[in-house]
Amino acid sequence: MVNKYDVDEKNTTFNIHNLKRLLQYTKNHRFKLFISFFLSAIATILSLYTTKILQYVLDDVIVNKDIKQLLLFSFIEILLTIFVIAFTKLKDKLLVKINLDIIYDLKNDLFSHIQYLSSDYFDTRPHGKILVRVTEYTEQVSSLITNQLVNTIMNFINLIFVFLFMLTTNVSLTMITIVGVLILILIFASTSKIKRALRQDINNKKANMNAYLVESLKGVSTTQVFNREAVNEDIYANLTTLQIDALNKMRPYSNLGWFSIQNISTFTTCAIYFIGIKVLYPNISVGTIAVMGSYSERFWSPIRSFFNTIDSFIETMTYLERILETIDEEIKIQNCEHPKQASLSGHITFDHVYFSYDGIRNVLDGIEFEILPKQKIAIVGETGSGKTTIANLLARFYDVQAGSIYFDQIEVKEIDLYSLRKQVTIMQQDNFLFSDTILHNLKYGNEQITDHQVKEVCKKLEIDAFIKQLPQGYNTILENNGKTLSEGQRQLLSYARVILNNPKVLVLDEATSKIDVQTEKIIQTKVKDLLKDKTTITIAHRLSTIVDSDKILFIQDHVVKEEGTHEELMKLKGEYYRLYMSQYALYDK
Amino acid sequence: MKWVLNYKKGIKWKYWFYNSMIIIGGLISTIFTAMILGVVIDKGLMAKNFDLIGPLLLIILLITIIGKTLSYFGVILIDSFGSKYTGNVIKQDCYKKINQLDQEFFRKNPLGELTTMLISDIWTIRYNICYVVKTFLGIVLRFSGALCYCLFVNWKLTILIMIPMPIIGLLSKNYIRTSSKLYERKRDIISSFNNYIQENIEANRLVKNFGVEADEIQRFKEKNKKLQNHNYKIRMRFINFYNRVNILSESMTILLVLFGGLFTIKGYITIGELIAFSSLVGYLRDPFIELGSLIDDWQNFLVSVERIQKLLATKPTIKDKGTITLTKEPHSIKFENVSVKIDGKTILSNINITIKPKETYAFIGPVGSGKTTIIKLLLRLMEPTSGKITIDDIDIKDYTKKSLRDYFGYVSQTAFLFSDTIRNNVSYADLSLDDHRIYEAIDIAEAEFVYKLPDKIETIIGENGVSLSGGEKQRLSLARAIVKKPNVLILDDITSALDFETEVAVSKNIATLQYDCTKIIIAQKIFSVKDANRIFVLNHGKISEEGTHKQLLRKKGFYHTIYQIQKGNFGGEYYGK
């Protein structure tokens, strides 16, 4: 099932186990985290005492007009405050380090896993949706463990102290506060499921919106040429509106928290005064009522913080689930248990291979052929007949449904993937270049190549002259993925890149299709030398490109219909002959 | 901030209205209730005047509910407003602007930068106008309220307590000034980091192909580390700053204890007044602590706004000042002395071409000779350095860009398709086209493979048509242009990925289109160009030869050489069999 930009991704389910996995990222920081908690706790307790002292000063010291004591307590306040601030600063610094390290590790794990995911993962969803998980979601989750957790501890301590103070002052009035808390818990419990669902919806809509943004920006030229600006803008505006609507649905709920708390807190405080006076008095002093009232006010601030943390937790979990979803994504193409590090000779066998991308259309239908080392093979056939698929299977981007592929009698599934791909290189049709220098692009995967080697290959490919007259020559940065170069130039750079990778088996998929025939002819001669020890498989439509091949595989109906040298196939007077003659006839004047 | 709020006229009032809802709501439910509570305690409880208490408490409750409800709606309205304004207005305008810009701009602003602008920067702006401003206002109001009251009670004590304030002000100013560069740098690092990841995902096959997964992971780790290190630097500086603000703020409490106590003992103020002071000192002190963390947000905001402003102020190099509508009729096109120079390099030099309606023209030439550049000029994706291009003797600059581009149907060398259904891709130019037109175009483009797919034209192709073969993509790209029934069809090397038979069929279909159409063909093969009314041979940006196929052969020049090579490739012995 291919996901589109305007189709929501399927929602994840809540699993508390995911939180444990996030906690795994704190493994190296357990000690620091513990110290942070400890510091935070101490700071909180000390600041509670500063309040207590303030109170004492107000109540006793000043009343007694004792200046000496005033100075003493002021001094104690200063000391306590210094400690609180110092501990808080230390805690903050520790937490920042932990926070950033967790984000660092999370991003690394996510990115690493993505590198190994098989092609089908990238083929079945907009790339923008993969992108946001690495760039945005990771930033959101780390604060859960650091700031939120620490805040929870701080709040908890505050809460316990205040609660104990209240209990020891008057039990009945404390009960009123408890009723308030219970009502609050009820409100939160009943809305948490909805909040989660709404939050997931917001995330999905945002991912849709951003995926469309990324893709439509990639195709800006096409948009402009087809006057599609207005339509694209409408699509984007719609997606934005959908996201805003989702946010709007959430707002009444997300603000319900502070609204409830502040109302309940006022209510309970008033109730305490009211009940204290109308019901309990005169069994309880006026002073007690006043103190309970003041405690009640102070009780709710940590409660508010605490429930904010819960909301934040709900939100963060939704991001975390998406991240873990990608990390848990199965890597379909993997090494077997004991992969072989084989040094390939370039002998290839396709044995009754059946392959389909979508499980419905068979692109290869029991195809079989054999290629000997160092042979120069050509694969010819109508478009969509499976030629590129053969290339994809050779490099094991996909696994076949039935049949086997052998390199030197070893099944491709048993060869170590890294070793396989270093020796089997495909020059793909899309000629992707990185926004980096030409040199780095050409040395891709082979940093050890010398600049001289690079230039030699470029000379053979007739692209050296062009590069030399660029402003920074080989160090010119290919801005915008090299779109300022012509298609032919990009193709030549891509060709140079695969040659420099020096594989044993080189598959050239329409490697010179965008290059004029004259340049192509020159290159072919020059490159012969570079390719002489390799098995090359050329996929081309221009029959003129392939007449000198050691063997031509003519593919039709998803199998090899005819094979042989050009001369043999012409003698056969079959499909190949027919094709060749009709191409030739056009030149017959 | 002023710029943000003034970007669209009239929204300012809404914005401040919502803010005032929140502020008033907040004010009455905090300060008023605090004052009334004070009365309850002093005049009701302590004075044992119990009858006063009931009604006053009721008033408190009422005011709280009203105030909080006001704030509740105020917050919802302002957050809604913020999302809508930044999303539908500012961000949308940014997107529109990007769609108008050209090669020059995209060279300097890679995709990663653009996504950072429209995702990150917009978010920062929204966050600031929604959350930061209202928090700031709340702080300022509570502070002012408390300050007034304290000054009223005892201005001498108030001033003593407020001594740290100007110091905090100076510290903040200094911090903002010295750390602004760090925030700018952070944004740049994030942008290039995002760009790297985006390219990596796009190049996923290349990564596998070259077996460089481990290398990429290593490279990523380095960039990741760089980002985190920089973030760490910023956060540490912030903590240090914040810490100093904290110390100064807390000292206000100490000053209160010390001087407040002294003043009370000396009898300058009463205990009741001191208690009032101590309950309000929080409102005096906390603002500075909260302001501290707002400064970090503010710094991010400044950087983001600057980028968005810059984007919105960018003027397209290729201006759309034309007013004439190019009608969908046959017109003749002329290139008059057109030259193109980029970075000192000559791409095209003195091009003079006349393209008469309903005829077929072809361009042939080696790699980099400027063929596609000619097309880009025609479509106004580029502009000539000198010379001009006219349609019906009117400079193409004088036509509207829209009517100009509508006139042409362009099939580029590399088809860019979208991850959408085949139907939406083919009808890209006009989504309202009915199926009949789409099938017609698919047939002309020999793309009948579509009918064999399980979902037929509703099949969703992956990002950039990755699930299709090169030839299939090319044909869909052709269908996309043909479906427009354009007056001029531009075919830039469209058969390079097609097998011979398909190529012949496509060429035949194009040659026999059922409506009047000028055709401009760029190709490598003599076969593709030989039937053109006129062929132009491009070499190093100049037209070296032109004429019909026969004329060019007779010239025995470059064209003839190519012909010989292409024919010669077929081997002598089968000549004529």
mmCIF file of all heavy atoms in Angstrom, chain A residues 37 51 70 104 131 170 247 280 287 298 343 346 368 377 403 414-415 461 471 487 505 519 535:
data_model
loop_
_atom_site.group_PDB
_atom_site.id
_atom_site.type_symbol
_atom_site.label_atom_id
_atom_site.label_comp_id
_atom_site.label_asym_id
_atom_site.label_seq_id
_atom_site.Cartn_x
_atom_site.Cartn_y
_atom_site.Cartn_z
ATOM 1 N N PHE A 37 18.205 14.625 39.969
ATOM 2 C CA PHE A 37 17.027 14.458 40.823
ATOM 3 C C PHE A 37 17.353 14.891 42.248
ATOM 4 O O PHE A 37 16.600 15.612 42.892
ATOM 5 C CB PHE A 37 16.567 12.993 40.862
ATOM 6 C CG PHE A 37 16.009 12.503 39.562
ATOM 7 C CD1 PHE A 37 15.880 11.144 39.329
ATOM 8 C CD2 PHE A 37 15.619 13.384 38.584
ATOM 9 C CE1 PHE A 37 15.360 10.683 38.133
ATOM 10 C CE2 PHE A 37 15.098 12.930 37.382
ATOM 11 C CZ PHE A 37 14.972 11.576 37.156
ATOM 12 N N THR A 51 10.822 29.810 52.480
ATOM 13 C CA THR A 51 9.475 30.334 52.685
ATOM 14 C C THR A 51 9.091 30.286 54.157
ATOM 15 O O THR A 51 8.510 31.217 54.704
ATOM 16 C CB THR A 51 8.452 29.521 51.885
ATOM 17 O OG1 THR A 51 9.036 29.097 50.671
ATOM 18 C CG2 THR A 51 7.211 30.334 51.608
ATOM 19 N N LEU A 70 16.676 39.567 63.085
ATOM 20 C CA LEU A 70 16.347 39.880 61.696
ATOM 21 C C LEU A 70 17.581 39.712 60.824
ATOM 22 O O LEU A 70 17.541 39.076 59.771
ATOM 23 C CB LEU A 70 15.809 41.317 61.611
ATOM 24 C CG LEU A 70 15.451 41.779 60.198
ATOM 25 C CD1 LEU A 70 14.298 40.947 59.666
ATOM 26 C CD2 LEU A 70 15.077 43.247 60.191
ATOM 27 N N TYR A 104 20.843 13.226 20.501
ATOM 28 C CA TYR A 104 21.937 12.785 19.635
ATOM 29 C C TYR A 104 21.830 11.295 19.355
ATOM 30 O O TYR A 104 21.864 10.848 18.205
ATOM 31 C CB TYR A 104 23.261 13.118 20.321
ATOM 32 C CG TYR A 104 24.489 12.611 19.594
ATOM 33 C CD1 TYR A 104 24.951 13.263 18.466
ATOM 34 C CD2 TYR A 104 25.175 11.489 20.042
ATOM 35 C CE1 TYR A 104 26.075 12.806 17.786
ATOM 36 C CE2 TYR A 104 26.294 11.026 19.378
ATOM 37 C CZ TYR A 104 26.744 11.689 18.253
ATOM 38 O OH TYR A 104 27.849 11.229 17.590
ATOM 39 N N LEU A 131 11.453 12.134 6.502
ATOM 40 C CA LEU A 131 12.323 13.238 6.906
ATOM 41 C C LEU A 131 11.921 13.837 8.246
ATOM 42 O O LEU A 131 12.764 14.034 9.125
ATOM 43 C CB LEU A 131 12.291 14.312 5.812
ATOM 44 C CG LEU A 131 13.123 15.561 6.035
ATOM 45 C CD1 LEU A 131 14.588 15.231 6.049
ATOM 46 C CD2 LEU A 131 12.840 16.579 4.940
ATOM 47 N N ASN A 170 -5.055 20.755 59.950
ATOM 48 C CA ASN A 170 -6.459 20.386 60.147
ATOM 49 C C ASN A 170 -6.897 19.355 59.124
ATOM 50 O O ASN A 170 -6.853 19.608 57.937
ATOM 51 C CB ASN A 170 -7.346 21.640 60.064
ATOM 52 C CG ASN A 170 -8.799 21.306 60.363
ATOM 53 O OD1 ASN A 170 -9.488 20.690 59.564
ATOM 54 N ND2 ASN A 170 -9.255 21.710 61.536
ATOM 55 N N LEU A 247 -5.637 21.134 15.079
ATOM 56 C CA LEU A 247 -5.141 21.854 16.248
ATOM 57 C C LEU A 247 -6.292 22.508 16.993
ATOM 58 O O LEU A 247 -6.350 22.490 18.220
ATOM 59 C CB LEU A 247 -4.131 22.935 15.825
ATOM 60 C CG LEU A 247 -2.699 22.498 15.566
ATOM 61 C CD1 LEU A 247 -1.923 23.628 14.916
ATOM 62 C CD2 LEU A 247 -2.013 22.080 16.850
ATOM 63 N N LEU A 280 -16.971 24.706 61.080
ATOM 64 C CA LEU A 280 -16.059 24.230 62.105
ATOM 65 C C LEU A 280 -15.845 25.208 63.253
ATOM 66 O O LEU A 280 -15.512 24.828 64.363
ATOM 67 C CB LEU A 280 -14.699 23.896 61.473
ATOM 68 C CG LEU A 280 -14.760 22.766 60.439
ATOM 69 C CD1 LEU A 280 -13.387 22.547 59.817
ATOM 70 C CD2 LEU A 280 -15.214 21.479 61.094
ATOM 71 N N GLY A 287 -6.884 31.745 63.027
ATOM 72 C CA GLY A 287 -5.539 31.644 62.470
ATOM 73 C C GLY A 287 -5.358 30.365 61.659
ATOM 74 O O GLY A 287 -4.769 30.363 60.585
ATOM 75 N N ARG A 298 -1.223 27.392 47.790
ATOM 76 C CA ARG A 298 0.099 26.938 47.382
ATOM 77 C C ARG A 298 0.102 25.499 46.914
ATOM 78 O O ARG A 298 1.003 25.041 46.251
ATOM 79 C CB ARG A 298 1.087 27.120 48.527
ATOM 80 C CG ARG A 298 1.592 28.542 48.539
ATOM 81 C CD ARG A 298 2.854 28.672 49.297
ATOM 82 N NE ARG A 298 2.581 28.534 50.719
ATOM 83 C CZ ARG A 298 3.408 27.961 51.562
ATOM 84 N NH1 ARG A 298 4.542 27.454 51.131
ATOM 85 N NH2 ARG A 298 3.108 27.861 52.830
ATOM 86 N N SER A 343 35.028 -13.099 -3.181
ATOM 87 C CA SER A 343 35.662 -12.238 -4.178
ATOM 88 C C SER A 343 35.147 -12.709 -5.524
ATOM 89 O O SER A 343 35.487 -13.785 -6.008
ATOM 90 C CB SER A 343 37.186 -12.399 -4.082
ATOM 91 O OG SER A 343 37.786 -11.542 -5.011
ATOM 92 N N GLY A 346 32.831 -12.499 -11.477
ATOM 93 C CA GLY A 346 31.984 -11.879 -12.484
ATOM 94 C C GLY A 346 31.166 -12.901 -13.239
ATOM 95 O O GLY A 346 30.615 -12.639 -14.298
ATOM 96 N N GLU A 368 16.022 -17.122 -17.280
ATOM 97 C CA GLU A 368 17.303 -17.751 -16.973
ATOM 98 C C GLU A 368 18.344 -17.409 -18.028
ATOM 99 O O GLU A 368 18.058 -17.313 -19.213
ATOM 100 C CB GLU A 368 17.158 -19.270 -16.841
ATOM 101 C CG GLU A 368 16.282 -19.926 -17.862
ATOM 102 C CD GLU A 368 16.309 -21.436 -17.704
ATOM 103 O OE1 GLU A 368 16.921 -21.938 -16.752
ATOM 104 O OE2 GLU A 368 15.735 -22.099 -18.565
ATOM 105 N N ILE A 377 28.072 -7.965 -21.871
ATOM 106 C CA ILE A 377 26.716 -8.427 -22.182
ATOM 107 C C ILE A 377 25.815 -7.237 -22.455
ATOM 108 O O ILE A 377 26.005 -6.165 -21.887
ATOM 109 C CB ILE A 377 26.128 -9.191 -20.973
ATOM 110 C CG1 ILE A 377 27.080 -10.304 -20.558
ATOM 111 C CG2 ILE A 377 24.750 -9.736 -21.270
ATOM 112 C CD1 ILE A 377 27.164 -11.416 -21.546
ATOM 113 N N GLY A 403 13.097 -19.034 -7.626
ATOM 114 C CA GLY A 403 14.309 -19.151 -8.433
ATOM 115 C C GLY A 403 15.504 -18.618 -7.680
ATOM 116 O O GLY A 403 15.381 -18.183 -6.541
ATOM 117 N N GLU A 414 23.425 -15.495 -0.039
ATOM 118 C CA GLU A 414 24.408 -15.931 0.942
ATOM 119 C C GLU A 414 25.659 -15.079 0.934
ATOM 120 O O GLU A 414 26.560 -15.286 1.745
ATOM 121 C CB GLU A 414 24.781 -17.392 0.668
ATOM 122 C CG GLU A 414 23.604 -18.326 0.944
ATOM 123 C CD GLU A 414 23.938 -19.753 0.599
ATOM 124 O OE1 GLU A 414 25.135 -20.057 0.494
ATOM 125 O OE2 GLU A 414 22.997 -20.532 0.429
ATOM 126 N N ILE A 415 25.697 -14.138 0.028
ATOM 127 C CA ILE A 415 26.891 -13.294 -0.021
ATOM 128 C C ILE A 415 26.693 -12.098 0.898
ATOM 129 O O ILE A 415 25.611 -11.519 0.945
ATOM 130 C CB ILE A 415 27.141 -12.805 -1.470
ATOM 131 C CG1 ILE A 415 27.250 -14.011 -2.397
ATOM 132 C CG2 ILE A 415 28.392 -11.950 -1.529
ATOM 133 C CD1 ILE A 415 27.409 -13.618 -3.839
ATOM 134 N N LEU A 461 35.963 10.127 -20.303
ATOM 135 C CA LEU A 461 34.536 10.315 -20.530
ATOM 136 C C LEU A 461 34.238 11.672 -21.169
ATOM 137 O O LEU A 461 33.081 12.070 -21.257
ATOM 138 C CB LEU A 461 33.759 10.178 -19.215
ATOM 139 C CG LEU A 461 33.738 8.775 -18.627
ATOM 140 C CD1 LEU A 461 32.907 8.754 -17.349
ATOM 141 C CD2 LEU A 461 33.147 7.775 -19.611
ATOM 142 N N PRO A 471 34.101 27.610 -12.567
ATOM 143 C CA PRO A 471 34.820 28.548 -11.687
ATOM 144 C C PRO A 471 35.806 27.895 -10.724
ATOM 145 O O PRO A 471 36.935 28.351 -10.593
ATOM 146 C CB PRO A 471 33.693 29.250 -10.925
ATOM 147 C CG PRO A 471 32.425 28.639 -11.383
ATOM 148 C CD PRO A 471 32.672 27.891 -12.616
ATOM 149 N N GLU A 487 21.633 17.599 -18.726
ATOM 150 C CA GLU A 487 21.371 16.197 -18.392
ATOM 151 C C GLU A 487 22.513 15.304 -18.829
ATOM 152 O O GLU A 487 22.901 14.370 -18.141
ATOM 153 C CB GLU A 487 20.086 15.736 -19.078
ATOM 154 C CG GLU A 487 18.818 16.151 -18.378
ATOM 155 C CD GLU A 487 18.771 15.653 -16.946
ATOM 156 O OE1 GLU A 487 19.254 14.533 -16.673
ATOM 157 O OE2 GLU A 487 18.272 16.396 -16.101
ATOM 158 N N VAL A 505 31.484 -6.284 -11.390
ATOM 159 C CA VAL A 505 30.341 -6.351 -12.293
ATOM 160 C C VAL A 505 29.739 -4.956 -12.387
ATOM 161 O O VAL A 505 29.373 -4.375 -11.382
ATOM 162 C CB VAL A 505 29.260 -7.339 -11.762
ATOM 163 C CG1 VAL A 505 28.048 -7.320 -12.662
ATOM 164 C CG2 VAL A 505 29.839 -8.728 -11.628
ATOM 165 N N THR A 519 29.778 11.736 -29.135
ATOM 166 C CA THR A 519 30.500 11.666 -27.862
ATOM 167 C C THR A 519 30.473 10.237 -27.336
ATOM 168 O O THR A 519 31.464 9.725 -26.821
ATOM 169 C CB THR A 519 29.865 12.603 -26.815
ATOM 170 O OG1 THR A 519 29.632 13.870 -27.403
ATOM 171 C CG2 THR A 519 30.734 12.744 -25.593
ATOM 172 N N THR A 535 32.990 -7.635 -15.780
ATOM 173 C CA THR A 535 31.802 -8.110 -16.487
ATOM 174 C C THR A 535 30.911 -6.887 -16.612
ATOM 175 O O THR A 535 30.557 -6.277 -15.609
ATOM 176 C CB THR A 535 31.050 -9.174 -15.650
ATOM 177 O OG1 THR A 535 31.940 -10.221 -15.304
ATOM 178 C CG2 THR A 535 29.861 -9.710 -16.412
#
